[in-house]
Amino acid sequence: MKLSKVTFLALSGALLPAILGGCADDGTITTKTTTPLLGAQISGKVMAGSTPVAGAHVYLFAAGTGGYGTTSTSLLSTGQSGVTADSNANGYVTAGSDGSYALAGDYNCPTATSQIYLVATGGNPGQATGTNNTGITFVAGLGSCAPLSNNTVRATAVINEMTTVATAYALAQFTTNAQQIASGTVTTGITNAFNLIPVLVTLSTGASNASTGSSIGAIPQTAMASLANLLNTCASTSGATSTACAALFAAATPAGVTAPSNTFQAALNLAHYPGNQVAALYTLSKNASAYTSALAAQPNDWTLSIAYTTTTVPGISTPQQVAIDASGNAWIVNYNSNALVEISPIGSPVSPLTGPGGYSGPVNNATRLAIDLSGNVWTIDGQSDISEFSSTGSVVQTQVVQNIPSPSSIAVDPSNNIWIANKYTANNLFELSNAAKVISPATGYATSCLQYTNAVAIDTSSNVWMGGQNSTCLAEFDKSGNVLSGTAGFNGGGMAYNTYGGIAFDHSGNVWVPSTNGALSVNKAGVISEFTSTGTAITSSAGYTSGGIFNPTGLAIDGIGNVWVTNGDSTSPPTTTKARLSVISSVGAGVSPTTGYMQGTLGALPYAPAIDPSGNVWIPESTTSTVYQVIGAAAPVVTPLAAAVKNNQLGVRP
């Protein structure tokens, strides 16, 4: 993988203060060392809005790597300067009357790449003497503990409602509560998530930021201000049993979920269940004004998303698809630019912003891409080009295959071979070696059931599945190109036209397909259909329609088996009233509300989502030339997709 600027900062021993001061430039950290390292001196204030929280207990933890839901490691203990132990033997320092705290730097980080964070609990937010508001739990994620040789490095971090919102959302998929933040042994996702926190907020001040690195991504400051005000309604009171805290905790409790008892848990519930009691929560948020420039109207939901537009990233122009590489970087193909765009998981540009606004190459009218097992990126475009780019964006090769004049979809199999569907002539399937040499017969592999093929996907048995724009069937081939689905293909399950393409597999090998119930030009409600790995329909003729599914344009399956569906509006001209992001469970139950997520803010025609190792959901929207990064919304997945297929890790967390 590429070593990024952030990685070099870590190796130079300067990462922690760099993160605390603002945005890091780019990239991820996955290298680990097992040698404990002396930590930095950290100081700052605990604040409820602009009011100091006197007497708050300030803890320092390292996130776990022993599995999701496992316990974090307390880094403070008695014997260290100013540290007291609580009843669970976790060490803390006590904030002064002005909310100030200081960690002397005499603690040890477990490893150089341990992800560390501050927790502040209780304290008096300017109330009567003796007040201790146990409803306060504020959190601030700091990032990697750099390989410091001594404790002379000093860093500053405010711990308040805004840092709590940023931390809760960025780390949502790794967090159970303030003392249980953990990942599996693969730490790419959690590291990227921690690195995103100081992009969302400046930790030294506790204020939200307007944009990501190089100002390319717009951060949702107004929504974050409303969420911070919501927490402040409780944090500014005398205690967890106050009327304001009780109202917050009740509104932040979805059906069947344990009610929160503190502000961090309330924020985490909103990140996990952003469609829950939106109106009630918005009304409560207006009871506080500690954070200015809050939302002026009730949102559709409480998702937070960063927006990348053609104004800030010139290469983003009618984006068609996003693919995620092993580092968590997002690669974007665009129909109306000659650029392949790469953005880091913390919102910094990796590809150039000059020239075409991305990596230049044969990507004119590009529509699809796939990342192979070597990290190289393959694209297809409207000029019949099949191109390979290196992981650093240089063109490796470009081929025009005579019998593939209309490539429409592309996938990589466990042997690192490339499979391409051809849309208009013959509707055949082609297999190429990784050197772009045709392996299939010159005219490809054929099946009679498909028309206008526009979807190709590989399952963990190396079988290849295809769908078609004007087809009501699915076709399956084995890795040698033999048809497994018969002349009529697989049918039923409510599947109609696979208008926009898209096929995904869950961990059980079941096949999920979006389709519209009508001709391409008709804006009719669509469904999601599910089939077994042998092609038997699981869904009834009604398909799955919960969670706001309307006119599905693509789908992706996250690390716990939830299905994320983009929905567009195909009227002419399209509108934003029905485009939305829907989520259904592995049995088709609605996870998102009937209006989905992001309705009214997702443009009119979003295409298939892509999920990264941190649980961010990336969505290309064509009519406004915008790519959205929905923060911490989905369960993390293994990337790239080809690696998940090869290692039988589809639909599971890393």
Side-chain angles (χ1 to χ4, degrees):
M1 65 168 284
K2 289 179 284 187
L3 280 178
S4 67
K5 294 180 181 178
V6 168
T7 308
F8 287 125
L9 281 172
L11 296 177
S12 70
L15 177 60
L16 185 59
I19 284 181
L20 294 177
C23 299
D25 286 341
D26 167 40
T28 61
I29 304 168
T30 54
T31 305
K32 301 175 81 173
T33 175
T34 57
T35 304
L37 298 163
L38 197 61
Q41 299 179 51
I42 305 172
S43 62
K45 288 188 176 183
V46 184
M47 304 289 290
S50 59
T51 303
V53 183
H57 293 176
V58 179
Y59 298 81
L60 182 66
F61 291 95
T65 57
Y68 296 87
T70 56
T71 302
S72 304
T73 301
S74 175
L75 300 184
L76 303 183
S77 59
T78 55
Q80 297 171 358
S81 178
V83 174
T84 304
D86 65 17
S87 59
N88 294 315
N90 294 322
Y92 64 87
V93 297
T94 302
S97 60
D98 61 350
S100 62
Y101 70 91
L103 306 183
D106 50 359
Y107 59 90
N108 284 318
C109 295
T111 72
T113 55
S114 294
Q115 302 300 308
I116 64 175
Y117 62 98
L118 294 161
V119 177
T121 65
N124 186 347
Q127 299 291 316
T129 301
T131 295
N132 180 32
N133 185 347
T134 58
I136 294 176
T137 296
F138 293 154
V139 183
L142 305 182
S144 296
C145 201
L148 307 176
S149 59
N150 55 55
N151 68 346
T152 60
V153 173
R154 298 175 184 273
T156 302
V158 169
I159 316 170
N160 64 5
E161 293 94 345
M162 192 65 78
T163 66
T164 301
V165 168
T167 302
Y169 273 77
L171 299 181
Q173 299 304 321
F174 304 95
T175 305
T176 305
N177 56 55
Q179 295 184 26
Q180 289 180 289
I181 299 179
S183 69
T185 56
V186 178
T187 59
T188 301
I190 195 170
T191 299
N192 291 348
F194 265 95
N195 287 344
L196 182 60
I197 295 167
V199 174
L200 300 173
V201 293
T202 296
L203 290 170
S204 59
T205 64
S208 65
N209 293 320
S211 60
T212 64
S214 299
S215 300
I216 68 166
I219 291 171
Q221 284 185 298
T222 56
M224 291 177 66
S226 288
L227 289 168
N229 281 336
L230 182 62
L231 302 187
N232 183 256
T233 61
C234 171
S236 61
T237 68
S238 60
T241 59
S242 67
T243 300
C245 286
L248 169 63
F249 298 157
T253 306
V257 175
T258 302
S261 59
N262 61 67
T263 51
F264 180 65
Q265 204 66 42
L268 192 61
N269 275 8
L270 269 63
H272 287 161
Y273 307 97
N276 174 64
Q277 299 197 64
V278 176
L281 290 162
Y282 177 69
T283 299
L284 289 175
S285 75
K286 294 194 294 183
N287 293 332
S289 57
Y291 297 88
T292 58
S293 301
L295 291 168
Q298 177 187 316
N300 180 76
D301 55 81
W302 291 109
T303 55
L304 294 178
S305 58
I306 301 169
Y308 307 92
T309 69
T310 190
T311 301
T312 55
V313 185
I316 294 178
S317 183
T318 318
Q320 301 289 295
Q321 187 183 1
V322 179
I324 310 297
D325 67 18
S327 298
N329 291 348
W331 294 74
I332 305 155
V333 286
N334 303 274
Y335 191 78
N336 285 328
S337 79
N338 290 312
L340 174 63
V341 173
E342 183 184 8
I343 299 174
S344 83
I346 62 171
S348 294
V350 182
S351 54
L353 294 176
T354 56
Y359 300 126
S360 60
V363 286
N364 188 38
N365 302 139
T367 56
R368 295 290 183 269
L369 79 167
I371 299 175
D372 70 18
L373 296 170
S374 302
N376 287 355
V377 181
W378 293 74
T379 66
I380 53 178
D381 68 17
Q383 311 303 314
S384 303
D385 294 321
I386 301 167
S387 301
E388 180 186 7
F389 292 77
S390 73
S391 60
T392 56
S394 60
V395 177
V396 176
Q397 60 178 321
T398 297
Q399 300 288 340
V400 177
V401 179
Q402 181 177 0
N403 290 322
I404 316 179
S406 305
S408 60
S409 188
I410 185 169
V412 179
D413 71 14
S415 298
N416 219 24
N417 290 335
I418 313 301
W419 294 76
I420 297 173
N422 186 57
K423 189 170 187 176
Y424 291 116
T425 56
N427 298 294
N428 287 358
L429 174 67
F430 292 83
E431 180 185 9
L432 281 65
S433 73
N434 202 258
K437 303 302 181 183
V438 177
I439 296 174
S440 56
T443 56
Y445 304 121
T447 181
S448 59
C449 89
L450 293 175
Q451 293 182 348
Y452 300 132
T453 54
N454 66 345
V456 61
I458 317 290
D459 67 21
T460 55
S461 298
S462 295
N463 293 334
V464 186
W465 295 69
M466 281 208 306
Q469 177 175 305
N470 280 10
S471 307
T472 58
C473 70
L474 284 176
E476 182 187 11
F477 300 79
D478 67 16
K479 61 184 178 181
S480 299
N482 300 306
V483 177
L484 302 179
S485 49
T487 56
F490 299 132
N491 300 272
M495 183 175 62
Y497 296 109
N498 191 338
T499 303
Y500 299 98
I503 298 171
F505 306 96
D506 62 26
H507 193 61
S508 298
N510 292 341
V511 188
W512 296 74
V513 185
S515 62
T516 54
N517 287 340
L520 178 60
S521 61
V522 180
N523 192 25
K524 292 186 176 181
V527 304
I528 300 299
S529 301
E530 181 184 7
F531 297 81
T532 67
S533 60
T534 56
T536 301
I538 295 174
T539 44
S540 70
S541 59
Y544 294 136
T545 59
S546 298
I549 291 171
F550 172 72
N551 188 42
T553 58
L555 79 174
I557 296 177
D558 73 12
I560 59 173
N562 285 342
V563 183
W564 293 74
V565 183
T566 46
N567 302 271
D569 188 346
S570 58
T571 54
S572 182
T575 69
T576 63
T577 56
K578 294 178 180 177
R580 62 188 68 139
L581 176 64
S582 298
V583 188
I584 57 176
S585 72
S586 59
V587 294
V591 175
S592 55
T594 56
T595 56
Y597 298 139
M598 300 179 69
Q599 180 172 291
T601 60
L602 192 54
L605 195 55
Y607 290 130
I611 301 168
D612 71 21
S614 300
N616 302 313
V617 181
W618 295 75
I619 304 169
E621 200 288 312
S622 61
T623 62
T624 60
S625 291
T626 302
V627 174
Y628 295 93
Q629 179 185 4
V630 190
I631 301 167
V637 299
V638 174
T639 58
L641 181 61
V645 172
K646 178 179 176 63
N647 298 314
N648 192 25
Q649 291 181 307
L650 291 172
V652 297
R653 294 179 291 190

